[in-house]
Amino acid sequence: MNFDLTEERQMLQDSLRRYLRDKYSTATRNQILESAGGMSADVWAQLAELGVIGALFTEEQGGFGGAGFDIAVVFEELGRAGVVEPFMDSALIGGRVLAACGKTELVEEMIGGGLQLAVAHGEPTSRYDLSHVRTSVDGGKLNGRKAVVMNAENADHLIVSARASGDEADEAGISLYLVAKDAAGLNIQGYPLLAGGRAAEVTLDGVEGELLTEDGFAVLGDVMALATMAQCAETLGAMDTATRLTNDYLGTRKQFGRPIGTFQALAHRMADMLIEMEQARSAVINAAGNLNEDTRTRDMNISAAKNLLGRAGRLIAEESIQMHGGIAMTQEYELAHIAKRITMADHRFGDTDHHLERFIALSAA
Amino acid sequence: MDLSYTDEELAFRDEVRAFMRDELPKEMSDKIRLGDELGKEGQEKWHAILNSKGWLAPNWPKKFGGAEWNAVQRHIFEEEAAAHHAPRIVPFGLSMLAPVLQKFGSKEQQDYWLPRILDGSDWWCQGYSEPGAGSDLASLKTRAVRDGDHYIVNGQKTWTTLGQHANMIFCLVRTDPDVKQQEGISFLLIDMNTPGIEVRPIILLDGTHEVNEVFFDDVKVPVENLVGEENKGWTYAKYLLTHERTNIAGVGFSQAGLNTVKRIARAEMAGGKPLMANPHFAARVAQVEIDLKAMATSNLRIISAAAAGGAPGVEASMLKVKGTIIRQEINDLARRAVGPYAMPFASEAIEGSNEALPDPHEAGPVAAQYFNNRKLSIFGGSNEIQRGIIAKVMMGGGQ
């Protein structure tokens, strides 16, 4: 066994961490959060140049990584710094769907940093069910509504799932289409998100698109497995920041004439946070290391990680705020943003309960 | 023991219900139900409606213009108010300052300030916390130095809730720096329009402007605005904090929140069934409902006992800890219930800028409320402080 990062991954982690520490301060990020697009084109371009996007793709796909641990390293650092740029939705999910569908040129453009994507899959009634699609395709025309579509306004292309056959919860019959941003009948209503970035409600009224695959569920299943693992790694990085900030605060903030960390009631809870951090790190390693195993093994490890990160994340976000007191409630303090990232991560790719039930079902299978 | 309401209590409940049905404006209850801010004007309007009915000050004695309700009546009112989505009463003048003035204020202070609280002439805010003195309130540093007929006040207060609307602030200030911390503090009433006062907003993590910093730079305060005796302010502050805590179980808010969770969970579908039919979600809802039922009775037991013998002590700390845990758990369930729709940032500011809100509209504010209500276990003496009080009193130990 060897739990050390390879030399290449260590270099990627170091350079990414250094860049974000130097260039992505809380003040810089707060400006980005308030900007109209909810992201910085400069940050995107510079991180693309650092290889952040390339690391998410295999060599055959035009990248130089693409394995579970490559993706985990990148997203842990993005999470540690609370990055709001859409590396998850545009680069990883959008890019890997296109790669799986053989759209090599677009993937190259994406890796170079010159392309923004959005995947419009979830619907107002689908919650966390991947197979739940009502949006229909008939005679090549797409009709329906997509919910909380990340990065839709910035995207050059939308990848839209639509049902060509079957009932609304069937795994079979889901096709994926590539839709240009300016396609007729496409309406994008954007809004900001609590934890940064922007999303939109997307309606499709007789929209024409290019068919990417008729086996949409399988493609999405594989890519969402990657994305869920990446989300766990990102949350792990954010949890690490919350834990570090809290530890620092307990050592410096004085009440009743001594640092509050010397009160046993707080010291023991800090210890619990540190224990949960180790649990979370191991769960992410399990998820990343089992990505290429059979689907059931892969998904059990991913659901285990998402459930554990949901529980540990809630503990760490809430305890960090509580032990900081009022200062953590203020928008301009680093922890406020980080705590929101951790908590909102539970609302992506299935929450704590969803993955508990999925783990139970997979265990019984 | 008899857990059922008497005929008189039932009649009172009917009266409160009729009042809520007839007098609570629908646009107000709609806003509260959807988690929107009421604003200063809305708050003042609701205060005026309650005042004209004589119900604005349930806890005040009749001789000061209060309703002088007993604990059960207050509980019934709170329950009905929450069930009808009535606005929360801003407590600073009515239930925090007023009891202090009624017990420790001079006749002149009572005659002047109390009617102004009822008729809405003054909007009070609280000047207790400071950047270095949060839960360790006695370490406050804001100085007041006597100079003839005035005190000269210098220093800074923080977490001043709704201070942006207030024209008056009641403050704890240090009048003697050379004695034990608690012994050199005084209780001052300060006009916010006095030269030298600056109010700066603090934006909270859910984007709301609810609290402020207040800076005092050589602010002149007439000596008649001192409540009680100089250097005895800690006694009054403790009295006030006990009163603040008597309402902090928040049974009504929790009950209303629980109703919202159930309403959302019956409408939201998960795996082809209503979320409320999901055993994991239903179990979480049931557990918090069980806790809430017990706490509602604890609340009644404690305030009934207190009604006979003054303000409760350690029991108030117990209600604060349990009440905030339950409210925060309900907030957590509400954000979980709406699934991915918890993520949009649907603040008042955004509504003002005409940005589209996603459906369902009810989903908009629940995650923001979850974050905003993290404050419940921090303010008014954090839950750690409350547990310390409980341990000290019940076990003779403490930290």
Side-chain angles (χ1 to χ4, degrees):
Chain A
M1 290 247 165
N2 176 8
F3 289 105
D4 296 331
L5 289 177
T6 61
E7 203 177 321
E8 292 80 10
R9 287 176 187 142
Q10 187 66 57
M11 281 168 59
L12 178 65
Q13 186 183 59
D14 291 347
S15 60
L16 185 49
R17 192 176 296 188
R18 201 175 317 116
Y19 172 87
L20 292 170
R21 197 179 48 214
D22 296 346
K23 300 285 170 69
Y24 208 80
S25 67
T26 304
T28 303
R29 189 184 55 230
N30 285 348
Q31 279 179 351
I32 296 170
L33 284 171
E34 284 168 19
S35 66
M39 65 168 285
S40 159
D42 287 345
V43 168
W44 186 265
Q46 285 164 27
L47 286 174
E49 198 173 319
L50 269 183
V52 165
I53 305 178
L56 309 178
F57 296 85
T58 64
E59 282 182 34
E60 303 87 80
Q61 292 167 335
F64 58 87
F69 290 115
D70 299 309
I71 295 168
V73 162
V74 167
F75 278 91
E76 184 179 338
E77 294 311 314
L78 296 174
R80 193 185 309 282
V83 172
V84 298
E85 277 66 25
F87 289 96
M88 174 73 75
D89 293 281
S90 183
L92 183 66
I93 303 178
R96 290 290 293 245
V97 167
L98 289 186
C101 297
K103 302 293 287 182
T104 318
E105 281 175 27
L106 287 180
V107 174
E108 274 173 26
E109 205 182 334
M110 153 70 66
I111 291 172
L115 187 74
Q116 287 288 331
L117 296 168
V119 176
H121 176 60
E123 300 185 359
T125 51
S126 64
R127 200 173 175 84
Y128 303 120
D129 297 334
L130 207 55
S131 64
H132 185 107
V133 175
R134 281 185 180 169
T135 296
S136 62
V137 55
D138 194 12
K141 307 262 190 185
L142 303 166
N143 288 289
R145 170 165 172 189
K146 297 293 183 177
V148 201
V149 180
M150 301 287 177
N151 202 40
E153 298 159 301
N154 292 320
D156 303 292
H157 300 281
L158 277 74
I159 295 159
V160 179
S161 60
R163 185 163 290 287
S165 65
D167 293 332
E168 68 181 24
D170 285 350
E171 293 180 3
I174 300 171
S175 296
L176 298 180
Y177 287 83
L178 190 66
V179 173
K181 193 198 183 160
D182 53 4
L186 182 71
N187 182 269
I188 296 173
Q189 249 192 328
Y191 43 78
L193 299 169
L194 257 171
R198 291 181 65 86
E201 298 301 286
V202 174
T203 50
L204 302 114
D205 184 10
V207 175
E208 282 189 47
E210 176 193 342
L211 179 66
L212 290 170
T213 176
E214 291 182 337
D215 199 4
F217 184 81
V219 170
L220 286 172
D222 288 345
V223 174
M224 291 305 174
L226 288 178
T228 310
M229 187 281 295
Q231 182 66 67
C232 290
E234 184 181 334
T235 305
L236 177 70
M239 284 160 60
D240 196 44
T241 297
T243 304
R244 179 180 57 74
L245 287 169
T246 306
N247 200 26
D248 292 351
Y249 191 77
L250 291 182
T252 50
R253 169 70 166 176
K254 286 187 177 169
Q255 296 263 276
F256 306 100
R258 54 182 170 129
I260 58 175
T262 61
F263 291 101
Q264 198 178 51
L266 301 188
H268 283 186
R269 284 154 63 190
M270 188 72 229
D272 283 340
M273 284 170 61
L274 293 166
I275 293 166
E276 291 304 314
M277 273 305 298
E278 292 309 313
Q279 283 283 90
R281 181 169 299 286
S282 294
V284 170
I285 290 170
N286 286 344
N290 283 291
L291 266 182
N292 294 328
E293 297 298 317
D294 63 276
T295 308
R296 179 168 167 268
T297 305
R298 176 193 77 182
D299 289 348
M300 276 185 74
N301 279 285
I302 284 171
S303 281
K306 192 67 168 57
N307 173 268
L308 194 149
L309 271 285
R311 288 185 284 130
R314 182 184 173 192
L315 175 96
I316 283 174
E318 292 183 354
E319 287 283 73
S320 294
I321 291 175
Q322 181 68 24
M323 290 204 268
H324 270 86
I327 185 72
M329 295 290 298
T330 62
Q331 193 167 62
E332 64 181 20
Y333 183 59
E334 176 75 359
L335 180 64
H337 175 74
I338 295 292
K340 284 189 281 187
R341 302 283 298 176
I342 295 169
T343 307
M344 286 300 110
D346 195 40
H347 294 270
R348 299 223 63 194
F349 314 115
D351 66 10
T352 312
D353 286 349
H354 175 90
H355 282 283
L356 178 69
E357 285 164 11
R358 188 164 175 255
F359 184 86
I360 293 169
L362 289 164
S363 304
Chain B
M1 289 220 190
D2 184 358
L3 294 182
S4 51
Y5 287 134
T6 63
D7 288 345
E8 280 146 21
E9 286 160 352
L10 288 173
F12 177 72
R13 190 178 64 182
D14 288 343
E15 194 189 353
V16 174
R17 275 186 189 166
F19 171 79
M20 292 292 171
R21 196 181 54 229
D22 300 337
E23 305 293 334
L24 172 62
K26 187 169 181 310
E27 77 268 12
M28 239 180 231
S29 57
D30 281 350
K31 276 194 170 185
I32 301 298
R33 185 169 52 81
L34 295 171
D36 295 339
E37 292 292 317
L38 202 54
K40 184 180 186 184
E41 219 173 288
Q43 283 291 356
E44 288 178 334
K45 190 174 166 190
W46 180 234
H47 277 224
I49 292 170
L50 285 170
N51 192 38
S52 64
K53 178 77 177 170
W55 286 1
L56 181 59
N59 53 327
W60 292 18
K62 284 215 165 90
K63 68 168 177 170
F64 292 120
E68 208 174 314
W69 284 341
N70 64 30
V72 177
Q73 285 174 304
R74 271 189 266 168
H75 174 76
I76 289 171
F77 181 82
E78 266 182 47
E79 210 170 35
E80 292 302 320
H84 287 84
H85 308 288
R88 175 175 181 249
I89 305 297
V90 177
F92 304 104
L94 276 161
S95 52
M96 292 164 81
L97 175 63
V100 171
L101 287 178
Q102 287 164 8
K103 193 166 171 74
F104 303 106
S106 66
K107 176 83 169 55
E108 290 74 21
Q109 286 170 337
Q110 290 172 351
D111 288 347
Y112 183 73
W113 296 111
L114 294 174
R116 294 172 62 86
I117 291 175
L118 288 180
D119 71 14
S121 300
D122 296 318
W123 184 305
W124 285 90
C125 63
Q126 182 191 43
Y128 269 31
S129 294
E130 296 185 7
S135 287
D136 180 13
L137 194 56
S139 69
L140 64 90
K141 291 195 169 61
T142 296
R143 281 280 279 142
V145 178
R146 180 78 182 260
D147 178 19
D149 293 341
H150 289 86
Y151 288 99
I152 306 297
V153 179
N154 281 286
Q156 181 192 350
K157 295 291 176 181
T158 192
W159 313 125
T160 311
T161 304
L162 301 182
Q164 72 268 35
H165 299 328
N167 67 307
M168 291 296 300
I169 182 169
F170 54 92
C171 276
L172 289 179
V173 292
R174 187 161 299 287
T175 34
D176 186 347
D178 299 323
V179 292
K180 226 182 97 191
Q181 275 192 344
Q182 283 88 341
E183 289 165 8
I185 292 170
S186 297
F187 195 104
L188 271 190
L189 312 177
I190 303 177
D191 186 332
M192 297 285 278
N193 296 312
T194 319
I197 295 182
E198 192 195 344
V199 179
R200 290 186 205 159
I202 298 173
I203 304 302
L204 293 182
L205 77 174
D206 60 336
T208 53
H209 174 198
E210 191 173 86
V211 290
N212 303 269
E213 296 177 288
V214 182
F215 294 84
F216 299 87
D217 181 16
D218 284 338
V219 174
K220 278 179 79 173
V221 182
V223 286
E224 59 261 32
N225 282 18
L226 174 77
V227 174
E229 290 177 52
E230 196 176 270
N231 295 331
K232 296 277 189 248
W234 187 248
T235 309
Y236 318 144
K238 276 199 306 187
Y239 182 78
L240 181 155
L241 282 177
T242 319
H243 268 265
E244 184 188 5
R245 285 203 295 267
T246 51
N247 296 322
I248 218 151
V251 174
F253 300 122
S254 285
Q255 191 57 56
L258 192 62
N259 293 343
T260 300
V261 168
K262 289 181 175 177
R263 194 167 60 241
I264 295 171
R266 280 194 289 265
E268 284 285 318
M269 300 297 281
K273 286 182 294 193
L275 178 61
M276 208 52 213
N278 176 293
H280 292 105
F281 194 84
R284 285 178 206 262
V285 173
Q287 274 170 17
V288 77
E289 187 167 7
I290 288 164
D291 289 347
L292 176 57
K293 278 177 188 297
M295 191 191 62
T297 300
S298 301
N299 189 42
L300 277 174
R301 281 201 294 132
I302 290 165
I303 54 185
S304 300
V314 67
E315 296 86 354
S317 295
M318 293 180 168
L319 286 178
K320 203 237 163 178
V321 172
K322 199 69 209 176
T324 53
I325 288 172
I326 288 174
R327 272 179 79 184
Q328 289 177 336
E329 180 66 18
I330 290 169
N331 287 142
D332 186 70
L333 286 168
R335 78 159 172 85
R336 283 164 187 270
V338 297
Y341 273 119
M343 292 187 283
F345 186 175
S347 76
E348 192 187 21
I350 290 157
E351 285 180 53
S353 70
N354 288 327
E355 292 213 42
L357 281 176
D359 291 336
H361 181 56
E362 200 158 36
V366 297
Q369 279 164 2
Y370 161 82
F371 286 114
N372 187 287
N373 274 346
R374 302 313 310 163
K375 73 189 175 194
L376 296 176
S377 48
I378 295 171
F379 70 14
S382 72
N383 282 13
E384 287 72 27
I385 294 292
Q386 307 300 338
R387 289 187 180 101
I389 292 169
I390 295 164
K392 195 169 176 184
V393 171
M394 309 297 278
M395 302 156 68
Q399 290 292 348

